[in-house]
Amino acid sequence: GENVEQHPSTLSVQEGDSAVIKCTYSDSASNYFPWYKQELGKRPQLIIDIRSNVGEKKDQRIAVTLNKTAKHFSLHITETQPEDSAVYFCAASMDNNAGNMLTFGGGTRLMVKP
Amino acid sequence: NAGVTQTPKFRVLKTGQSMTLLCAQDMNHEYMYWYRQDPGMGLRLIHYSVGEGTTAKGEVPDGYNVSRLKKQNFLLGLESAAPSQTSVYFCASSYGVLYSNQPQHFGDGTRLSIL
């Protein structure tokens, strides 16, 4: 089955700096890669996703890049703010019309220091 | 439009007791999922359903059963709770086969402790 590795497990940045979180996946058939943000005690919330037919997607301060050849994708947050502090999860799935099950990475705890 | 609603929010059980967690969604989603999240770890899929009357095993199905009698509801059962099942349980739902790779929407979670 699919295996998703996420690095780093913790990341501390100064407010205004950029943060980058990287994930690798094992199954070349995976074609959908969402990123979720989870604040303490809350539900995971989708912040951005990318499909395998594009290499990059941007939404304001957040961007995701995908390298299908190397089987890795990354989340980039620019101009970080204290409210960006949370745990971020990457995930991968394959559109197989049989459930689109997500395999999650282990998470990255991002701390933005004011 | 409440989205995905989980009940209860918290529960403490004794080893060997049984209980059912309820997930309800009002978005007319075909697919529904149950995950568990242990401290410092990602979410692991327990069971999922691709439509009313269907269920399938995920990554960690042992010790759990599920039922999807109605499209909007997905129940997760623990027949004989064990301390290893202490976790936070999340339900999620998404559009199904007619929509390619749609995002999963999560409920607020159920915090379950087994003593």
Side-chain angles (χ1 to χ4, degrees), chain B residues 36-58:
Chain B
R36 61 176 289 172
Q37 184 176 35
D38 299 307
M41 296 181 67
L43 294 99
R44 293 184 292 168
L45 183 65
I46 305 171
H47 286 281
Y48 65 99
S49 168
V50 299
E52 181 178 319
T54 74
T55 62
K57 295 180 180 179

Side-chain angles (χ1 to χ4, degrees), chain A residues 38-53:
Chain A
Q38 186 178 30
E39 297 176 355
L40 188 63
K42 299 292 182 64
R43 69 176 77 184
Q45 291 195 301
L46 180 77
I47 56 172
I48 196 167
D49 57 9
I50 191 168
R51 291 168 174 78
S52 60
N53 57 345

Side-chain angles (χ1 to χ4, degrees), chain A residues 31 36 38 43 51 95 99, chain B residues 33 37 100-101 104 106 108:
Chain A
N31 58 5
Y36 285 85
Q38 186 178 30
R43 69 176 77 184
R51 291 168 174 78
D95 181 11
Chain B
Y33 312 83
Q37 184 176 35
S100 176
N101 276 323
Q104 293 184 18
F106 284 81
D108 285 333

Side-chain angles (χ1 to χ4, degrees), chain B:
Chain B
N1 190 340
V4 179
T5 303
Q6 291 183 233
T7 53
K9 297 188 186 305
F10 305 93
R11 186 74 183 267
V12 178
L13 290 179
K14 294 181 179 179
T15 298
Q17 287 185 318
S18 63
M19 79 161 294
T20 300
L21 281 66
L22 173 63
C23 177
Q25 52 92 6
D26 61 2
M27 296 174 282
N28 202 33
H29 286 167
E30 287 290 335
Y31 293 171
M32 296 187 74
Y33 312 83
W34 275 107
Y35 295 90
R36 61 176 289 172
Q37 184 176 35
D38 299 307
M41 296 181 67
L43 294 99
R44 293 184 292 168
L45 183 65
I46 305 171
H47 286 281
Y48 65 99
S49 168
V50 299
E52 181 178 319
T54 74
T55 62
K57 295 180 180 179
E59 180 187 353
V60 288
D62 294 342
Y64 305 95
N65 57 75
V66 287
S67 64
R68 182 101 181 267
L69 298 180
K70 293 182 178 181
K71 184 177 182 179
Q72 63 267 34
N73 296 338
F74 195 27
L75 279 63
L76 178 70
L78 287 73
E79 290 186 346
S80 179
S84 61
Q85 294 178 304
T86 293
S87 189
V88 179
Y89 292 85
F90 285 100
C91 176
S93 69
S94 73
Y95 286 111
V97 66
L98 295 179
Y99 305 88
S100 176
N101 276 323
Q102 289 298 303
Q104 293 184 18
H105 300 264
F106 284 81
D108 285 333
T110 294
R111 283 160 179 75
L112 183 61
S113 294
I114 316 292
L115 304 178

